[in-house]
Amino acid sequence: MGLPFIRRSPLSIFYIPPPRFLILLFFCFLALFLVFEVDDFVSRTKTIVGHNLEPTPWHVFPFKPSDQESKYSKASKIIQCSYLTTCGLNDTTPEEKQSHNAHDHDPPAQCPDFFRHIRRDLEPWAQTNITMAHVAEAQKLAAFRVVIVGGKLYVDFYYACVQSRAMFTVWGFLQLLKRYPGRVPDVDLMFDCMDKPTVNRTEHSYMPLPLFRYCTTPQHFDIPFPDWSYWGWSEINIEPWDQEFRNIKQGSRRRRWENKWPIAYWKGNPDVASPLRMELLNCNDPNNWRAQILRQDWGEAARKGFKESKLSQQCDHRYKIYAEGYAWSVSLKYILSCGSVPLIISQQYEDFLTRGLVPNINFLPIPPLDLCQSIKSAVDWGNQHPSQAKAIGRAAQDFMASLSMERVYDYMYHLVTEYSKLQTFQPVQPSTALEVCTEYVLCFADQKQQRWLHKSAAVPSSTPPCSLPN
Ligand SMILES: *[C@@H]1O[C@H](CO)[C@@H](O)[C@H](O)[C@H]1NC(C)=O
Ligand SMILES: *[C@@H]1O[C@H](CO)[C@@H](O)[C@H](O)[C@H]1NC(C)=O
Ligand SMILES: *[C@@H]1O[C@H](CO)[C@@H](O)[C@H](O)[C@H]1NC(C)=O
């Protein structure tokens, strides 16, 4: 019985190999081929957390998403999240859509007046419309491309974004689709997630480029869009907007107006290449300049569990200073929420809500020249006119109360809708973009981010969007 084996083995190389061996060889090659293919595939797949992406060249920042991950865990994460997640498991049911439509006959609420800036922001394309060439050209300045077709979201990633900006911004688009199922039109738009506007009106006067970002200036074509922190900023423990606003408003009641410190307060990070914030540090003198200026060290705050950085515990002063950072700052909305008088040092950058601010009604403007003296003058005026000062603080808080997440979604809805009306082409899924859905984002999120994503999830609206002022 054993004989044939013994005889064959020394001679086997002269033999034609048996079919079993060929099959084995074939599978070995196949496995090797697959390993190389998968490796190649994994190293080409760009993700919402920045895998296989470089930081934007126009704003370089330290970024190495794969440092903490082994090659194997990175590959398995990409395969699992990008290719094996099933989208649409928790999609809106038809019943929900129906109940939503039942309210369509109610006259919709009027949007806040400053929403009229949506049309002004899109005016550069009123004559030319937005062509595929505009979008293709804007891609050179974009970190990612957002395409909505038939209520589905596709995202093409070009460059990595700081921290989890891309994740929470894309999440915002997903929640918009969830809030208004069947209503969001097909669009194809370019988004940059870094701070400073880049589409200079002079340099691009020949061909204005439509590029979405978090802020703009009168000298730029960039289109302002609500920033990621409306869905929360998990790295520094800032809650999604509605919750954070409730916390701040409650915190602002810890002291009655009369008992709040009659000086101005600022706490923030001056180390963001902002000469203004550096200058502000010189005004830290409650007696001479009526101002208390504190450094916020986010590394230190994180180590202490964010106990001393709570925004809701920073409403104990009658005046709150807003100073721009590297560009606009997400802190504006939190400062306006305190019920204190916002002292806004002249702004160069506008985010979408800045347009709702009215000097001497819901804030006091502070000229940047002779900064400390300007702050002192505003505080002295307020202390001499306490009821007027109190009313300005209240108006600022009321303005932020009116800008609930519902209204933020309405702003996004109208901006995207007005933009889509200008498109001269029918958006289609880009061949390089994957569908991005709830399951995809949650799969890439770490545990803390997942908590924030769940907290900021939207539900279908029972009412239509507010109506845009003419
Ligand atoms: C822009 O679009 C509008 C509406 O579709 C159309 O009437 C107009 O002719 C277009 N303008 C140009 C320059 O293509
Ligand atoms: C826009 O570009 C022009 C021409 O290059 C330049 O003079 C101007 O300073 C730029 N504006 C801004 C805000 O960067
Ligand atoms: C889907 O819905 C179920 C029940 O509502 C929930 O437990 C689950 O976390 C949801 N999954 C996702 C991916 O949102």
Side-chain angles (χ1 to χ4, degrees):
M1 285 283 283
L3 214 63
F5 271 98
I6 295 163
R7 278 229 323 257
R8 195 189 293 170
S9 65
L11 298 169
S12 60
I13 48 166
F14 303 111
Y15 273 55
I16 294 168
R20 245 192 318 183
F21 183 72
L22 276 181
I23 291 170
L24 194 71
L25 208 65
F26 171 76
F27 275 109
C28 281
F29 274 118
L30 185 70
L32 219 62
F33 174 75
L34 278 178
V35 166
F36 281 117
E37 267 301 285
V38 166
D39 204 44
D40 179 49
F41 190 58
V42 160
S43 65
R44 274 187 291 119
T45 303
K46 298 164 170 55
T47 72
I48 197 165
V49 285
H51 291 115
N52 304 313
L53 292 169
E54 294 292 326
T56 51
W58 50 89
H59 184 161
V60 180
F61 54 92
F63 180 72
K64 278 270 169 278
S66 43
D67 268 2
Q68 307 89 11
E69 287 178 277
S70 71
K71 196 171 175 227
Y72 172 76
S73 75
K74 174 183 152 185
S76 65
K77 180 123 237 176
I78 292 176
I79 293 169
Q80 183 200 343
C81 302
S82 291
Y83 299 103
L84 301 180
T85 46
T86 319
C87 283
L89 288 178
N90 280 16
D91 270 359
T92 316
T93 59
E95 288 79 6
E96 276 174 309
K97 277 183 191 165
Q98 258 162 26
S99 74
H100 149 84
N101 286 340
H103 290 259
D104 272 6
H105 304 295
D106 301 342
Q110 183 78 20
C111 297
D113 199 56
F114 77 90
F115 278 32
R116 65 176 73 247
H117 276 269
I118 288 174
R119 293 210 180 95
R120 216 168 296 167
D121 288 334
L122 294 172
E123 218 151 56
W125 301 277
Q127 298 305 314
T128 60
N129 293 329
I130 294 169
T131 64
M132 205 61 234
H134 282 109
V135 178
E137 202 57 28
Q139 177 181 334
K140 295 173 185 164
L141 304 172
F144 53 89
R145 174 186 192 176
V146 171
V147 181
I148 296 173
V149 180
K152 287 202 160 105
L153 179 66
Y154 303 94
V155 183
D156 220 354
F157 297 99
Y158 306 127
Y159 291 108
C161 295
V162 165
Q163 295 185 336
S164 52
R165 288 183 184 194
M167 174 180 285
F168 282 84
T169 302
V170 168
W171 184 250
F173 277 101
L174 272 178
Q175 302 320 299
L176 173 67
L177 291 170
K178 218 161 134 193
R179 179 165 171 82
Y180 291 127
R183 275 186 186 270
V184 182
D186 292 357
V187 286
D188 187 340
L189 59 90
M190 292 293 169
F191 208 111
D192 180 31
C193 54
M194 298 313 290
D195 294 29
K196 285 200 186 195
T198 50
V199 196
N200 181 319
R201 282 191 185 242
T202 315
E203 289 167 4
H204 293 269
S205 58
Y206 178 67
M207 185 190 193
L209 301 181
L211 182 68
F212 285 61
R213 72 164 66 249
Y214 308 120
C215 72
T216 191
T217 83
Q219 288 84 46
H220 290 90
F221 285 122
D222 304 63
I223 303 165
F225 191 82
D227 69 69
W228 71 94
S229 67
Y230 285 91
W231 294 271
W233 190 346
S234 62
E235 286 91 343
I236 58 170
N237 239 40
I238 291 182
E239 299 282 335
W241 168 236
D242 278 343
Q243 183 60 48
E244 192 65 52
F245 177 75
R246 276 197 297 276
N247 295 350
I248 294 175
K249 187 164 180 182
Q250 195 165 11
S252 76
R253 297 202 183 108
R254 286 205 309 188
R255 280 172 184 271
R256 286 155 38 88
W257 173 266
E258 291 71 21
N259 295 336
K260 290 185 194 284
W261 304 110
I263 57 170
Y265 179 88
W266 185 82
K267 185 172 186 177
N269 179 6
D271 308 314
V272 288
S274 160
L276 181 65
R277 288 186 174 185
M278 294 312 289
E279 202 188 327
L280 188 57
L281 292 176
N282 299 330
C283 310
N284 181 26
D285 186 338
N287 292 322
N288 264 335
W289 303 124
R290 317 271 190 272
Q292 186 180 7
I293 311 295
L294 301 176
R295 271 178 179 270
Q296 174 72 68
D297 178 344
W298 284 114
E300 178 78 7
R303 283 188 290 279
K304 291 184 175 168
F306 300 102
K307 285 195 191 72
E308 286 151 30
S309 64
K310 282 208 171 90
L311 298 170
S312 56
Q313 289 169 18
Q314 297 178 31
C315 299
D316 291 345
H317 299 75
R318 286 189 207 163
Y319 310 88
K320 291 266 291 183
I321 297 168
Y322 171 76
E324 288 179 333
Y326 184 64
W328 105 110
S329 162
V330 303
S331 62
L332 178 61
K333 59 182 172 303
Y334 309 121
I335 287 168
L336 292 166
S337 300
C338 261
S340 311
V341 178
L343 303 184
I344 298 188
I345 305 171
S346 316
Q347 290 167 281
Q348 196 180 341
Y349 301 95
E350 308 174 336
D351 65 1
F352 82 104
L353 74 83
T354 313
R355 286 82 172 272
L357 298 180
V358 190
N360 304 318
I361 299 294
N362 50 24
F363 77 98
L364 291 181
I366 302 293
L369 286 175
D370 210 354
L371 185 61
C372 303
Q373 181 60 47
S374 304
I375 292 171
K376 178 181 186 292
S377 303
V379 171
D380 285 344
W381 175 87
N383 288 340
Q384 284 154 17
H385 304 84
S387 62
Q388 277 160 280
K390 188 177 172 181
I392 293 173
R394 168 64 59 86
Q397 193 174 52
D398 289 349
F399 172 65
M400 292 318 294
S402 74
L403 194 66
S404 59
M405 258 338 263
E406 284 177 27
R407 287 294 166 266
V408 174
Y409 285 120
D410 286 357
Y411 191 92
M412 294 161 65
Y413 170 79
H414 285 300
L415 177 54
V416 163
T417 303
E418 294 303 306
Y419 174 98
S420 79
K421 288 179 191 166
L422 295 168
Q423 288 171 152
T424 56
F425 57 93
Q426 172 58 44
V428 291
Q429 174 188 357
S431 59
T432 42
L434 287 173
E435 183 183 349
V436 167
C437 59
T438 305
E439 293 83 357
Y440 169 94
V441 182
L442 287 172
C443 181
F444 276 113
D446 65 28
Q447 282 186 345
K448 191 169 182 189
Q449 289 164 341
Q450 284 179 0
R451 287 213 310 281
W452 256 252
L453 295 170
H454 281 298
K455 282 193 278 194
S456 62
V459 294
S461 172
S462 60
T463 51
C466 62
S467 66
L468 205 54
N470 285 313

